[in-house]
Amino acid sequence: MSKKLWGTRFAKKTSTLTDRFTSSISFDKKLAKYDILGSIAHAKMLGVQRIIPVKEAALIVKGLKFILRDVIRRKIKFDPQAEDIHSNIQDLLLKKIGKVANKLHTARSRNDQIALDVKMYIKDEIKELVDLLALLQKSILKLANNNSKVIIPGYTHLQIAQCVLLAHHLLAYIESLERDKTRLLDAKERADLMPLGSCALSGTSLPIDRDFVRKELRFRGVTANSIDSVSDRDYILEILADLSILSVHLSRIAEDLILWSTKEFNFIDIDFSFCTGSSIMPHKKNPDVLELIRGCVGKIQGDFSSVLILMKGLPLSYNRDMQLDKPPLFNAIDTVKDILQILEAVFENIIIEKEAISAKISDESLFSVDIVEYLIKRSVSYRDAHDIVGRIIRDCLDKGKNISGLTNQELRRYSPKLSSDVKKILNAQESVNLKASYGGTNPKFVNNQLNNWKKRLNA
Ligand code: ARG
């Protein structure tokens, strides 16, 4: 078992129950790499500042690099009985280089050390998340691009609404994922202040050089208040908030795909490799991957609220409660990374059921707004136009007729401004072509957007 960093003052050994209850090594071993990198920078600084002899600093750095190599090669067995990752690495160093190792923790506390480790971890993970988000965006863009002419019925309230280009709908996903990227990068910016040197909470009387450590570890600045540095967990809350919002997007995308793959919609086919069958119903092909994506989102949002609740009302500065921020943080990040990868693969293999879709866009109620706007362009007020079209639709439904089946005379009975040329706009292509507003579903505009995204995502 690794030696406690604080045992001497204790008149008695801690209970094994206490050891087990307080230990965090089972999860904070994930931070090993960052703990060592932070320690290397710290040891170098101690040498440069002559707080410890240069030679000893060099020996510590050499020992740490050795341990780091083993960590990266996954050759290290962490001690399940260690109190935390900091004690475990300290102990490994002691075994490697002997008593000099005991100088490493000079002018440092685990309070500023853990803040540093987590910030470094989060900065790296945000880079990875942003890259994975870009890959997912690219696979969605590819599907949009390969099906740029397909028109689908758009929905509001999950009721058939108006025609839109499939590509337009898919580009909506790309927009939301882009906001997720910028939110994460924004959080990274604020997390990018180096806390080491705050020590327990008040700083140190030893002549440390925090800026040296900052440069070594590539932070953009150092934190300005030692108390805040060891109390603050905003960087964890922020990434969890951002992942919660991102996961809302992922769940909505998953839900669309689930709906679209049903027999009732039949807009898409999800590849067999991302579905499962039923043990009793031989005909089934279930979208379990997408359902689990939808389900995981609950866990991620739970992770965010668990850290929010953990932090609420804690007195400044450091409290051990804060150790519990890590499992939800790690879970949320790992889960989102898994989802981004599998969703990208799902999109790569989606087949668009063009024929089935084209059968769905003949429903003339999809064009009701187009007829309203036809009348408005002929000087009918919006309110009157809405009433006129409402009456036409009600009558057609009652009599089991289509609007396109009405004669010129029948149409004129509803409004003198209506004539059979209105029938020219009763089709999906005309409906999308007519849209003229920026951001709308006009094919020219959507094509521009496709090209813009191609440039942006390949840049
Ligand atoms: N395991 C602790 C955490 O995750 C590290 C800091 C412990 N500090 C302390 N004084 N016990 O927060």
Side-chain angles (χ1 to χ4, degrees):
M1 182 184 168
S2 64
K3 193 168 172 296
K4 295 223 167 62
L5 295 168
W6 42 266
T8 323
R9 185 243 179 277
F10 271 57
K12 236 174 133 179
K13 273 179 91 179
T14 46
S15 149
T16 50
L17 288 173
T18 302
D19 290 343
R20 203 170 64 210
F21 189 64
T22 56
S23 169
S24 55
I25 188 69
S26 65
F27 52 86
D28 64 14
K29 61 185 176 197
K30 205 179 178 82
L31 298 172
K33 179 176 129 193
Y34 302 105
D35 199 72
I36 298 170
L37 288 171
S39 288
I40 290 174
H42 182 66
K44 280 188 189 166
M45 182 278 290
L46 292 175
V48 171
Q49 294 298 99
R50 303 289 191 274
I51 297 170
I52 65 173
V54 177
K55 271 193 182 156
E56 292 182 353
L59 191 59
I60 292 173
V61 169
K62 202 172 153 202
L64 286 168
K65 283 187 174 162
F66 203 88
I67 300 170
L68 179 63
R69 215 177 48 198
D70 282 353
V71 165
I72 290 167
R73 290 179 182 161
R74 295 178 197 278
K75 270 173 63 186
I76 294 268
K77 263 219 183 100
F78 294 100
D79 176 1
Q81 272 156 24
E83 187 182 354
D84 52 29
I85 186 62
H86 322 303
S87 323
N88 203 152
I89 301 290
Q90 176 70 45
D91 209 50
L92 288 166
L93 187 65
L94 189 67
K95 284 196 187 110
K96 181 113 245 133
I97 63 168
K99 272 197 346 222
V100 183
N102 292 334
K103 295 201 174 175
L104 170 62
H105 210 52
T106 310
R108 189 174 70 170
S109 153
R110 284 178 295 168
N111 298 354
D112 56 348
Q113 194 178 353
I114 189 65
L116 175 71
D117 292 3
V118 175
K119 281 186 162 186
M120 289 171 72
Y121 162 78
I122 284 180
K123 280 170 54 183
D124 271 2
E125 291 295 327
I126 287 180
K127 271 187 239 149
E128 257 188 65
L129 285 161
V130 167
D131 287 348
L132 289 172
L133 274 163
L135 289 177
L136 174 58
Q137 285 177 308
K138 278 187 193 177
S139 68
I140 299 173
L141 185 65
K142 196 162 103 189
L143 186 69
N145 208 43
N146 291 344
N147 297 280
S148 61
K149 297 210 157 61
V150 176
I151 301 171
I152 58 169
Y155 291 76
T156 63
H157 312 263
L158 202 50
Q159 303 288 328
I160 214 157
Q162 289 182 273
C163 284
V164 292
L165 286 170
L166 171 69
H168 194 200
H169 190 112
L170 295 173
L171 285 172
Y173 299 155
I174 294 181
E175 294 279 347
S176 64
L177 298 174
E178 188 66 18
R179 289 194 294 278
D180 292 319
K181 271 163 57 181
T182 55
R183 254 188 293 273
L184 285 165
L185 290 169
D186 195 43
K188 179 161 163 262
E189 194 67 12
R190 267 184 300 279
D192 202 9
L193 296 177
M194 209 284 300
L196 208 68
S198 304
C199 304
L201 80 164
S202 69
T204 174
S205 67
L206 297 167
I208 58 170
D209 181 352
R210 296 188 63 203
D211 204 52
F212 176 95
V213 177
R214 173 194 73 77
K215 279 193 214 121
E216 284 285 309
L217 298 176
R218 298 209 182 90
F219 277 82
R220 73 174 168 91
V222 297
T223 53
N225 180 309
S226 60
I227 299 174
D228 178 51
S229 305
V230 297
S231 312
D232 171 33
R233 291 294 181 270
D234 290 2
Y235 44 96
I236 296 183
L237 289 171
E238 277 198 49
I239 187 171
L240 287 174
D242 295 351
L243 293 180
S244 297
I245 298 174
L246 162 56
S247 70
V248 168
H249 299 148
L250 297 173
S251 76
R252 296 184 72 177
I253 295 173
E255 175 62 6
D256 273 354
L257 300 183
I258 291 169
L259 280 172
W260 286 1
S261 69
T262 57
K263 266 221 169 105
E264 290 72 12
F265 274 82
N266 198 20
F267 288 3
I268 59 169
D269 181 61
I270 296 167
D271 197 70
F272 276 111
S273 49
F274 300 103
C275 294
T276 64
S278 156
S279 57
I280 178 167
M281 296 170 282
H283 69 284
K284 292 281 266 177
K285 180 183 167 209
N286 294 326
D288 295 36
V289 166
L290 294 164
E291 290 170 295
L292 281 169
I293 291 177
R294 203 173 51 184
C296 280
V297 169
K299 284 205 308 177
I300 294 161
Q301 288 164 5
D303 291 333
F304 177 37
S305 48
S306 94
V307 181
L308 268 181
I309 295 163
L310 181 74
M311 295 305 295
K312 177 192 169 296
L314 279 186
L316 300 191
S317 59
Y318 178 81
N319 302 273
R320 190 65 174 266
D321 315 41
M322 284 143 78
Q323 172 166 297
L324 302 176
D325 55 16
K326 279 164 260 339
L329 172 69
F330 297 156
N331 177 67
I333 290 177
D334 289 345
T335 309
V336 169
K337 286 198 309 194
D338 281 350
I339 296 178
L340 292 173
Q341 286 174 64
I342 199 159
L343 194 55
E344 184 210 342
V346 169
F347 269 104
E348 287 288 331
N349 292 283
I350 281 180
I351 299 206
I352 304 298
E353 303 285 7
K354 292 188 185 159
E355 273 176 33
I357 293 174
S358 69
K360 299 241 152 75
I361 49 175
S362 55
D363 181 340
E364 288 180 353
S365 56
L366 283 166
F367 313 122
S368 67
V369 180
D370 298 322
I371 311 175
V372 169
E373 289 179 357
Y374 166 100
L375 288 167
I376 291 172
K377 285 173 194 158
R378 284 159 183 78
S379 308
V380 180
S381 77
Y382 151 74
R383 187 65 260 167
D384 289 345
H386 195 284
D387 286 347
I388 293 164
V389 179
R391 258 181 283 133
I392 299 177
I393 286 178
R394 200 175 59 203
D395 289 349
C396 282
L397 281 173
D398 287 349
K399 293 172 188 151
K401 279 189 174 173
N402 281 330
I403 308 175
S404 54
L406 301 177
T407 63
N408 208 9
Q409 218 175 11
E410 283 170 318
L411 284 167
R412 277 182 190 283
R413 240 180 268 143
Y414 292 100
S415 163
K417 299 282 167 73
L418 267 179
S419 66
S420 352
D421 69 345
V422 77
K423 294 180 194 172
K424 282 193 219 131
I425 65 168
L426 300 182
N427 67 78
Q429 191 61 55
E430 200 54 28
S431 178
V432 292
N433 287 350
L434 277 171
K435 301 295 173 292
S437 52
Y438 179 79
T441 201
N442 183 292
K444 274 199 203 108
F445 176 76
V446 173
N447 260 321
N448 280 343
Q449 290 286 308
L450 285 171
N451 289 331
N452 287 345
W453 277 112
K454 255 182 262 170
K455 276 185 223 136
R456 270 172 88 172
L457 293 174
N458 289 323

